[in-house]
Protein backbone atom coordinates (compact mmCIF):
# COMPACT_ATOMS: atom_id res chain seq x y z
CA UNK A 1 0.00 0.00 0.00
CA UNK A 2 1.17 3.56 -0.73
CA UNK A 3 2.39 5.69 2.18
CA UNK A 4 3.39 9.30 2.74
CA UNK A 5 5.90 9.79 5.55
CA UNK A 6 6.87 13.41 6.26
CA UNK A 7 6.46 14.39 2.65
CA UNK A 8 8.12 11.29 1.24
CA UNK A 9 6.15 8.74 -0.80
CA UNK A 10 6.74 5.09 0.01
CA UNK A 11 5.24 1.63 0.25
CA UNK A 12 4.25 -0.51 3.21
CA UNK A 13 3.31 -4.19 3.39
CA UNK A 14 -0.39 -4.86 3.89
CA UNK A 15 -1.18 -6.85 7.00
CA UNK A 16 -0.99 -10.63 6.74
CA UNK A 17 -4.21 -12.49 5.83
CA UNK A 18 -5.77 -9.46 4.14
CA UNK A 19 -7.78 -10.71 1.10
CA UNK A 20 -6.58 -9.33 -2.21
CA UNK A 21 -8.96 -7.29 -4.34
CA UNK A 22 -9.06 -9.92 -7.09
CA UNK A 23 -10.17 -13.49 -6.32
CA UNK A 24 -10.50 -16.44 -8.70
CA UNK A 25 -14.10 -17.63 -8.53
CA UNK A 26 -14.83 -21.28 -7.91
CA UNK A 27 -11.30 -22.60 -7.29
CA UNK A 28 -11.88 -23.46 -3.61
CA UNK A 29 -9.03 -21.10 -2.73
CA UNK A 30 -8.65 -17.59 -1.29
CA UNK A 31 -5.77 -15.28 -2.17
CA UNK A 32 -4.40 -13.45 0.89
CA UNK A 33 -1.52 -11.11 1.60
CA UNK A 34 1.34 -12.77 3.45
CA UNK A 35 2.41 -9.61 5.33
CA UNK A 36 5.67 -9.38 3.39
CA UNK A 37 4.37 -7.86 0.16
CA UNK A 38 3.51 -11.16 -1.48
CA UNK A 39 0.41 -13.35 -1.72
CA UNK A 40 -0.45 -16.78 -0.44
CA UNK A 41 -3.25 -19.26 -1.18
CA UNK A 42 -5.38 -20.85 1.51
CA UNK A 43 -8.24 -23.34 1.23
CA UNK A 44 -11.72 -21.81 1.06
CA UNK A 45 -14.38 -24.50 1.00
CA UNK A 46 -17.10 -21.88 0.56
CA UNK A 47 -15.73 -20.85 -2.86
CA UNK A 48 -17.65 -23.57 -4.67
CA UNK A 49 -16.93 -24.51 -8.29
CA UNK A 50 -19.84 -24.39 -10.75
CA UNK A 51 -19.94 -26.69 -13.76
CA UNK A 52 -23.45 -25.46 -14.68
CA UNK A 53 -24.79 -29.03 -14.66
CA UNK A 54 -28.05 -29.91 -12.97
CA UNK A 55 -26.96 -33.43 -12.07
CA UNK A 56 -23.77 -32.76 -10.15
CA UNK A 57 -22.92 -31.54 -6.68
CA UNK A 58 -20.32 -28.76 -6.73
CA UNK A 59 -17.94 -29.50 -3.86
CA UNK A 60 -14.79 -28.14 -2.22
CA UNK A 61 -12.82 -30.64 -0.14
CA UNK A 62 -9.81 -29.24 1.69
CA UNK A 63 -9.42 -26.66 -1.04
CA UNK A 64 -9.82 -29.08 -3.95
CA UNK A 65 -12.82 -28.62 -6.32
CA UNK A 66 -14.83 -31.58 -7.59
CA UNK A 67 -18.20 -32.42 -9.09
CA UNK A 68 -19.96 -35.55 -7.82
CA UNK A 69 -22.87 -37.05 -9.74
CA UNK A 70 -26.34 -37.09 -8.24
CA UNK A 71 -28.00 -40.49 -7.86
CA UNK A 72 -29.69 -41.98 -10.92
CA UNK A 73 -33.34 -41.02 -11.04
CA UNK A 74 -32.89 -37.72 -9.21
CA UNK A 75 -35.07 -34.97 -10.62
CA UNK A 76 -33.41 -32.35 -12.81
CA UNK A 77 -34.33 -29.65 -15.29
CA UNK A 78 -31.82 -29.06 -18.04
CA UNK A 79 -32.86 -28.75 -21.67
CA UNK A 80 -35.38 -31.54 -22.28
CA UNK A 81 -33.93 -33.58 -19.41
CA UNK A 82 -35.93 -34.63 -16.37
CA UNK A 83 -33.93 -37.42 -14.72
CA UNK A 84 -30.29 -37.66 -13.65
CA UNK A 85 -28.62 -40.73 -15.16
CA UNK A 86 -26.13 -41.26 -12.32
CA UNK A 87 -23.21 -40.09 -14.47
CA UNK A 88 -23.84 -36.36 -14.21
CA UNK A 89 -26.17 -36.06 -17.20
CA UNK A 90 -29.74 -34.75 -17.07
CA UNK A 91 -31.52 -37.19 -19.39
CA UNK A 92 -34.99 -37.22 -20.86
CA UNK A 93 -35.53 -40.73 -19.53
CA UNK A 94 -33.91 -43.49 -17.50
CA UNK A 95 -36.38 -46.33 -18.07
CA UNK A 96 -38.97 -47.07 -20.74
CA UNK A 97 -41.67 -46.12 -18.24
CA UNK A 98 -40.42 -42.52 -18.34
CA UNK A 99 -41.49 -42.15 -21.99
CA UNK A 100 -44.88 -41.72 -23.59
CA UNK A 101 -43.52 -43.83 -26.48
CA UNK A 102 -42.55 -46.58 -24.04
CA UNK A 103 -38.99 -46.64 -25.37
CA UNK A 104 -35.98 -45.01 -23.72
CA UNK A 105 -32.79 -45.21 -25.77
CA UNK A 106 -29.53 -43.65 -24.53
CA UNK A 107 -31.46 -41.30 -22.27
CA UNK A 108 -33.85 -40.10 -24.96
CA UNK A 109 -37.49 -41.03 -25.54
CA UNK A 110 -37.49 -42.39 -29.05
CA UNK A 111 -38.79 -44.81 -31.63
CA UNK A 112 -36.95 -47.54 -33.51
CA UNK A 113 -37.72 -48.09 -37.19
CA UNK A 114 -40.86 -46.03 -36.65
CA UNK A 115 -42.00 -48.29 -33.82
CA UNK A 116 -42.57 -47.78 -30.11
CA UNK A 117 -43.87 -50.20 -27.47
CA UNK A 118 -46.72 -47.86 -26.54
CA UNK A 119 -48.23 -48.00 -30.04
CA UNK A 120 -47.10 -51.45 -31.23
CA UNK A 121 -49.73 -54.11 -31.95
CA UNK A 122 -50.17 -56.04 -28.71
CA UNK A 123 -49.87 -59.78 -29.42
CA UNK A 124 -48.70 -60.82 -25.96
CA UNK A 125 -51.75 -63.07 -25.57
CA UNK A 126 -50.58 -65.27 -28.47
CA UNK A 127 -47.96 -68.02 -28.52
CA UNK A 128 -47.25 -67.46 -32.20
CA UNK A 129 -47.81 -64.67 -34.69
CA UNK A 130 -47.08 -64.07 -38.38
CA UNK A 131 -45.61 -61.01 -40.07
CA UNK A 132 -46.23 -60.91 -43.81
CA UNK A 133 -44.12 -59.13 -46.42
CA UNK A 134 -43.65 -58.84 -50.15
CA UNK A 135 -46.15 -59.90 -52.79
CA UNK A 136 -49.48 -58.19 -52.18
CA UNK A 137 -47.98 -56.49 -49.11
CA UNK A 138 -45.37 -54.69 -51.20
CA UNK A 139 -42.40 -53.16 -49.45
CA UNK A 140 -43.99 -53.54 -46.05
CA UNK A 141 -43.96 -55.82 -43.03
CA UNK A 142 -47.51 -56.38 -41.78
CA UNK A 143 -47.92 -55.81 -38.91
CA UNK A 144 -44.84 -53.56 -38.76
CA UNK A 145 -44.54 -53.11 -34.98
CA UNK A 146 -45.57 -55.81 -32.50
CA UNK A 147 -45.35 -56.66 -28.82
CA UNK A 148 -45.03 -60.34 -27.90
CA UNK A 149 -44.29 -62.30 -24.75
CA UNK A 150 -40.98 -64.01 -24.12
CA UNK A 151 -40.96 -67.55 -25.52
CA UNK A 152 -43.44 -66.87 -28.30
CA UNK A 153 -42.72 -67.54 -31.96
CA UNK A 154 -42.68 -64.92 -34.71
CA UNK A 155 -43.04 -66.16 -38.28
CA UNK A 156 -41.87 -63.96 -41.17
CA UNK A 157 -43.85 -65.12 -44.20
CA UNK A 158 -43.16 -63.89 -47.72
CA UNK A 159 -45.89 -66.15 -49.13
CA UNK A 160 -43.89 -67.28 -52.17
CA UNK A 161 -40.68 -69.33 -52.35
CA UNK A 162 -37.77 -67.01 -53.03
CA UNK A 163 -39.23 -64.10 -51.05
CA UNK A 164 -36.14 -63.87 -48.86
CA UNK A 165 -33.97 -63.60 -51.96
CA UNK A 166 -36.01 -60.61 -53.07
CA UNK A 167 -36.22 -59.19 -49.57
CA UNK A 168 -33.16 -60.28 -47.54
CA UNK A 169 -34.11 -60.06 -43.87
CA UNK A 170 -31.79 -58.96 -41.07
CA UNK A 171 -31.89 -57.40 -37.63
CA UNK A 172 -31.02 -53.74 -37.30
CA UNK A 173 -32.38 -50.25 -37.62
CA UNK A 174 -32.29 -47.30 -39.97
CA UNK A 175 -31.01 -44.06 -38.46
CA UNK A 176 -30.66 -40.86 -40.43
CA UNK A 177 -30.80 -42.75 -43.70
CA UNK A 178 -28.14 -45.30 -42.67
CA UNK A 179 -28.65 -49.02 -42.12
CA UNK A 180 -27.15 -50.27 -38.85
CA UNK A 181 -27.10 -54.06 -38.68
CA UNK A 182 -27.69 -55.68 -35.30
CA UNK A 183 -24.65 -57.18 -33.59
CA UNK A 184 -26.77 -59.48 -31.43
CA UNK A 185 -30.29 -60.78 -31.05
CA UNK A 186 -32.43 -63.32 -32.89
CA UNK A 187 -32.30 -61.49 -36.24
CA UNK A 188 -28.57 -60.75 -36.40
CA UNK A 189 -27.85 -63.20 -39.24
CA UNK A 190 -28.86 -62.09 -42.74
CA UNK A 191 -31.53 -64.43 -44.14
CA UNK A 192 -31.60 -64.59 -47.95
CA UNK A 193 -32.24 -68.28 -48.67
CA UNK A 194 -33.96 -68.46 -52.12
CA UNK A 195 -35.53 -71.84 -51.34
CA UNK A 196 -37.80 -70.79 -48.48
CA UNK A 197 -40.91 -68.63 -48.15
CA UNK A 198 -41.02 -68.28 -44.36
CA UNK A 199 -38.74 -68.27 -41.34
CA UNK A 200 -39.69 -68.79 -37.69
CA UNK A 201 -37.89 -67.15 -34.77
CA UNK A 202 -38.41 -67.99 -31.10
CA UNK A 203 -38.22 -64.80 -29.05
CA UNK A 204 -36.55 -66.06 -25.89
CA UNK A 205 -35.07 -62.79 -24.61
CA UNK A 206 -36.89 -59.72 -23.33
CA UNK A 207 -35.87 -56.61 -25.27
CA UNK A 208 -36.27 -54.53 -28.43
CA UNK A 209 -35.42 -56.20 -31.73
CA UNK A 210 -35.64 -54.04 -34.87
CA UNK A 211 -35.27 -55.48 -38.37
CA UNK A 212 -35.30 -54.46 -42.01
CA UNK A 213 -35.13 -55.67 -45.61
CA UNK A 214 -31.52 -55.25 -46.69
CA UNK A 215 -32.59 -54.17 -50.19
CA UNK A 216 -35.46 -51.85 -49.28
CA UNK A 217 -34.75 -50.57 -45.78
CA UNK A 218 -34.27 -47.01 -46.99
CA UNK A 219 -37.65 -47.24 -48.72
CA UNK A 220 -39.27 -47.86 -45.34
CA UNK A 221 -39.33 -51.67 -45.26
CA UNK A 222 -38.52 -51.89 -41.57
CA UNK A 223 -40.14 -52.95 -38.31
CA UNK A 224 -39.56 -54.02 -34.75
CA UNK A 225 -40.50 -56.71 -32.26
CA UNK A 226 -40.76 -55.75 -28.60
CA UNK A 227 -40.46 -58.78 -26.34
CA UNK A 228 -41.96 -58.48 -22.87
Amino acid sequence: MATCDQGTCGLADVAADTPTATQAKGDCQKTLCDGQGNTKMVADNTDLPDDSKACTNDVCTAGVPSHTSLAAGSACAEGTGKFCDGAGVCAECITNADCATGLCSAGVCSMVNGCAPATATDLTALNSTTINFGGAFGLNYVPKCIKVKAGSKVVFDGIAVGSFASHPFVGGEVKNGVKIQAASGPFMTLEKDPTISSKTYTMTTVGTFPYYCDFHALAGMTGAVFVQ
Side-chain angles (χ1 to χ4, degrees):
M1 60 184 294
T3 63
C4 181
D5 184 11
Q6 298 180 1
T8 301
C9 294
L11 296 173
D13 294 333
V14 172
D17 297 328
T18 300
T20 62
T22 303
Q23 299 287 332
K25 185 175 177 59
D27 65 351
C28 299
Q29 298 284 321
K30 183 180 288 186
T31 307
L32 304 177
C33 296
D34 68 355
Q36 299 177 11
N38 300 305
T39 59
K40 63 180 180 180
M41 305 298 292
V42 297
D44 180 6
N45 289 337
T46 66
D47 183 27
L48 298 175
D50 184 4
D51 62 0
S52 299
K53 293 183 178 180
C55 287
T56 60
N57 282 314
D58 302 321
V59 180
C60 287
T61 305
V64 177
S66 63
H67 307 282
T68 58
S69 298
L70 296 179
S74 299
C76 62
E78 186 176 313
T80 60
K82 298 178 181 178
F83 306 94
C84 295
D85 67 355
V89 176
C90 185
E92 188 176 3
C93 58
I94 301 298
T95 68
N96 290 340
D98 298 330
C99 299
T101 62
L103 181 63
C104 178
S105 176
V108 177
C109 292
S110 60
M111 303 179 76
V112 56
N113 285 352
C115 300
T119 55
T121 302
D122 190 346
L123 301 173
T124 53
L126 304 179
N127 293 321
S128 178
T129 188
T130 298
I131 296 175
N132 297 116
F133 66 93
F137 298 96
L139 303 182
N140 300 289
Y141 291 103
V142 182
K144 175 184 177 75
C145 318
I146 65 173
K147 285 186 291 190
V148 300
K149 64 185 177 182
S152 64
K153 297 181 185 300
V154 175
V155 181
F156 287 85
D157 192 349
I159 310 302
V161 172
S163 54
F164 282 97
S166 301
H167 302 290
F169 173 84
V170 69
E173 61 181 310
V174 176
K175 281 188 175 181
N176 301 319
V178 178
K179 297 183 296 183
I180 305 172
Q181 188 171 339
S184 61
F187 311 141
M188 64 178 292
T189 302
L190 180 68
E191 179 56 73
K192 57 180 181 179
D193 188 342
T195 67
I196 62 174
S197 61
S198 67
K199 180 70 178 285
T200 301
Y201 297 88
T202 301
M203 311 304 293
T204 58
T205 304
V206 172
T208 298
F209 303 102
Y211 58 84
Y212 56 75
C213 166
D214 195 41
F215 288 168
H216 307 108
L218 302 186
M221 195 170 180
T222 63
V225 178
F226 302 100
V227 184
Q228 302 180 340

